[in-house]
Amino acid sequence: MPDQPSTVANLQGLAKMSENPVCQRWIPSRIRELKAYQVASAQDLIKLDAMENPYVWDEGLRDAWVERLAGVPLNRYPDPAAETLINTLTRCFSVPDKAALLLGNGSDELIQMVALAVGGPGRVMLAPEPSFSMYQVIAKITGCDYVDVPRHSDFTVDGDALLGAIDQHDPCCVFLACPNNPTGNSCDSALIEKVARASSGIVLVDEAYHAFCGESFMDRVGTLDNVLVMRTFSKLGLAALRLGFLAGPKALVDEINKVRLPYNISTLAQITAGFALEHLNWFEDKAQAICHARESLHKALDAMPGVTAYPSKANFVLFRLPPAKGNLVFESLRQSGVLVKNLHGAHDALSDCLRVTVSTASQNRVFLDTLTASLNDGV
Ligand SMILES: *Cc1c(COP(=O)(O)O)cnc(C)c1O
């Protein structure tokens, strides 16, 4: 979450808005109350805040990719159904025959499509929290109420609380991030299935971190009427591409597809993704290296006095600092050239928590040394 703007800036914003009668008359208060998504500037900093992959293609691979792009007819619209890419994805990620696929301009857009299809005033979306912030934002944009179901103190999903909330609210959509951002833990298939059977609405299993996890619900897709499994290329090393996909029962995917804008996936993205999938083992090798680095990073963090590091099945580690240290350490790291994500203030359960993306061995070392220095300096 972005830093809170100062009260003065807030008031100026409100003043500006109220001067414009169109805003008052026509922008619903649920939109006026939102803040546009803000991203911290990472200029000249080691960027460990957004779960990007640190590795880039070598020159040989890059040249082959550029050559492929050079053949793209830029004057033509993309294939609206992205048929070739969908067939490749189905094959590469073992999507069951029973399932249909839908592509999004990032998985954020897929969450938005699901919300446009089933959301609306008087309806509820729900997730075990803390979780990915866009669930709540997109729910609210579409007029839904958002219900935050607390996790256990170790961030595992509280199954009884979740099933109770589903019974109480009959949500149109339940979000289950497996593994979860920002906590890093996953949830097991038995629980997903229980939640699906208890829900009349959609259960969206968000597998953004699948590459680092080794578990998936994908092989079950199509066997339950209400389960969608979503993945993204972003955390795999292609964040610039903006490409995500969603697998689910054909009848349900066909309905969600109706709210998709035509040509939402550019030809450049379709061709690049196809090329990337020809080199899937490059990505898998890098994911494996990140998983190794994650284990040493977790161990080193957890060994620091006063620091609690949470176990992670993703490409980041969440850690908690002693009371009242979160903001100070975040700022000290940034002053020393390292940008992580400050989660203090994002949710009651995340006080003094920071989240660091796992990077190369040398960047992880710089981060650990910088953090050690901050803590030794009594920050
Ligand atoms: C990063 C993230 C996404 C968003 O992915 P994009 O494909 O880049 O839009 C979705 N879900 C979770 C849980 C994430 O952490």
Side-chain angles (χ1 to χ4, degrees):
M1 277 285 104
D3 295 335
Q4 297 291 324
S6 72
T7 311
V8 175
N10 246 341
L11 290 173
Q12 282 169 346
L14 282 173
K16 238 184 264 162
M17 202 164 61
S18 62
E19 280 162 22
N20 186 323
V22 181
C23 300
Q24 283 218 313
R25 172 78 171 83
W26 293 108
I27 307 288
S29 56
R30 65 168 196 276
I31 306 287
R32 281 188 282 158
E33 282 160 10
L34 292 173
K35 268 189 234 114
Y37 192 80
Q38 282 172 37
V39 177
S41 162
Q43 202 171 4
D44 303 325
L45 300 175
I46 295 181
K47 193 172 184 319
L48 304 177
D49 65 329
M51 280 77 87
E52 290 149 324
N53 196 301
Y55 300 103
V56 293
W57 291 339
D58 61 29
E59 210 174 326
L61 216 48
R62 221 170 46 229
D63 288 350
W65 166 61
V66 169
E67 200 172 309
R68 189 78 60 90
L69 286 185
V72 168
L74 279 176
N75 57 321
R76 301 293 176 196
Y77 279 108
D79 169 0
E83 205 179 311
T84 308
L85 178 55
I86 282 188
N87 289 337
T88 311
L89 287 167
T90 303
R91 193 165 29 81
C92 287
F93 294 115
S94 311
V95 178
D97 291 340
K98 278 186 186 168
L101 282 191
L102 188 61
L103 304 188
N105 189 355
S107 46
D108 286 348
E109 192 190 42
L110 290 164
I111 301 169
Q112 187 188 46
M113 285 184 219
V114 169
L116 286 172
V118 298
R123 297 186 175 193
V124 167
M125 294 193 170
L126 178 156
E129 285 275 339
S131 193
F132 185 46
S133 58
M134 291 310 290
Y135 300 153
Q136 178 160 10
V137 172
I138 291 172
K140 291 199 168 150
I141 288 171
T142 56
C144 288
D145 289 325
Y146 185 80
V147 172
D148 168 323
V149 182
R151 289 168 179 264
H152 291 301
S153 60
D154 64 355
F155 295 128
T156 53
V157 174
D158 183 340
D160 291 338
L162 184 56
L163 293 171
I166 288 167
D167 186 46
Q168 185 186 344
H169 298 286
D170 193 22
C172 62
C173 181
V174 175
F175 298 102
L176 280 179
C178 315
N180 185 47
N181 172 14
T183 59
N185 61 309
S186 200
C187 50
D188 60 83
S189 301
L191 179 64
I192 297 173
E193 180 158 350
K194 248 192 217 170
V195 169
R197 293 197 187 283
S199 303
S200 68
I202 288 175
V203 175
L204 181 53
V205 179
D206 184 346
E207 296 189 350
Y209 300 96
H210 164 260
F212 314 100
C213 170
E215 288 164 26
S216 175
F217 206 72
M218 186 62 91
D219 58 350
R220 309 285 308 280
V221 171
T223 62
L224 292 152
D225 287 337
N226 57 346
V227 174
L228 302 173
V229 169
M230 188 173 72
R231 303 236 185 118
T232 175
F233 279 64
S234 297
K235 316 296 158 60
L236 202 56
L238 291 171
L241 204 55
R242 303 307 296 135
L243 185 69
F245 64 98
L246 181 153
K250 189 168 184 323
L252 181 55
V253 169
D254 283 350
E255 293 302 323
I256 299 167
N257 186 40
K258 293 177 187 173
V259 305
R260 181 177 65 86
L261 294 174
Y263 314 119
N264 64 326
I265 310 299
S266 78
T267 310
L268 299 175
Q270 292 184 33
I271 298 294
T272 302
F275 176 84
L277 291 169
E278 290 168 22
H279 302 277
L280 193 55
N281 32 14
W282 185 92
F283 292 91
E284 287 168 348
D285 286 350
K286 300 307 179 213
Q288 210 166 30
I290 289 169
C291 288
H292 279 295
R294 172 185 70 204
E295 296 315 310
S296 14
L297 183 62
H298 177 270
K299 216 163 128 190
L301 272 171
D302 209 40
M304 288 184 188
V307 176
T308 305
Y310 294 90
S312 171
K313 293 201 155 188
N315 64 339
F316 58 83
V317 178
L318 181 78
F319 59 102
R320 196 188 298 271
L321 295 152
K325 294 282 189 190
N327 284 339
L328 295 172
V329 171
F330 169 76
E331 212 30 70
S332 158
L333 286 169
R334 185 159 66 175
Q335 296 294 329
S336 309
V338 178
L339 183 65
V340 298
K341 179 77 170 181
N342 184 3
L343 290 157
H344 182 81
H347 191 280
D348 288 347
L350 295 172
S351 56
D352 297 295
C353 282
L354 306 182
R355 185 193 67 200
V356 61
T357 305
V358 181
S359 185
T360 57
S362 63
Q363 290 204 337
N364 297 339
R365 179 44 48 205
V366 172
F367 158 72
L368 286 169
D369 290 347
T370 310
L371 178 61
T372 305
S374 293
L375 294 172
N376 286 347
D377 287 351
V379 167

